Amino acid sequence: QVQLVESGGGSVQAGGSLRVSCTVSGYTTNYCMGWFRQAPGKERERVARIYTSTGVRYYADSVQGRFTISQDSAKSTVVYLQMNSLKPEDTAMYFCATARYCYGATPQENDFDTWSQGTQVTVSN
């Protein structure tokens, strides 16, 4: 059974950085990992995705150039979302999600069958 454990997040001032990580069990190599976020009163939105077999990445326009999704070079079951130059509008609950394969050019929630419990990221002015 595939499971995810997410860690990291927290509170930071605008312009700061945070990193969240997601550890998958049930997959060892070649899987799709994505991050989504949901702010209060808003719909969940896609943030980033990586297909570990090819390294192909996707970023939402809103985070392009500020966020980086990567796989741990030593631990193939760990994926990071490095968030730099954070803005108050990045404040949300962040969820990682995984599936055996990545589908299409743009990640959709229905592509993923296992989700994390979520971690809060708060960016203040």
Side-chain angles (χ1 to χ4, degrees):
Q1 183 177 357
V2 178
Q3 293 182 319
L4 290 172
V5 175
E6 187 177 12
S7 62
S11 298
V12 68
Q13 288 192 325
S17 298
L18 286 172
R19 188 177 78 169
V20 292
S21 65
C22 205
T23 302
V24 61
S25 59
Y27 296 142
T28 55
T29 59
N30 300 338
Y31 56 92
C32 184
M33 184 75 81
W35 253 280
F36 292 76
R37 66 186 182 186
Q38 187 168 20
K42 295 188 177 181
E43 293 187 353
R44 188 151 48 181
E45 62 175 355
R46 62 184 72 92
V47 176
R49 181 187 70 182
I50 185 170
Y51 191 29
T52 62
S53 65
T54 62
V56 174
R57 294 165 171 83
Y58 161 90
Y59 295 101
D61 289 345
S62 58
V63 306
Q64 180 75 47
R66 300 187 299 120
F67 290 14
T68 302
I69 188 170
S70 63
Q71 185 183 27
D72 189 293
S73 59
K75 304 173 187 176
S76 63
T77 59
V78 181
V79 174
Y80 303 106
L81 183 68
Q82 177 68 41
M83 303 179 286
N84 299 330
S85 302
L86 282 161
K87 306 175 180 179
E89 50 263 44
D90 293 318
T91 295
M93 184 73 78
Y94 283 69
F95 301 88
C96 58
T98 194
R100 172 58 76 183
Y101 302 105
C102 285
Y103 301 95
T106 304
Q108 308 293 335
E109 289 185 48
N110 289 343
D111 296 341
F112 300 91
D113 42 40
T114 303
W115 291 76
S116 70
Q117 75 282 5
T119 189
Q120 179 67 37
V121 170
T122 302
V123 185
S124 58
N125 280 314

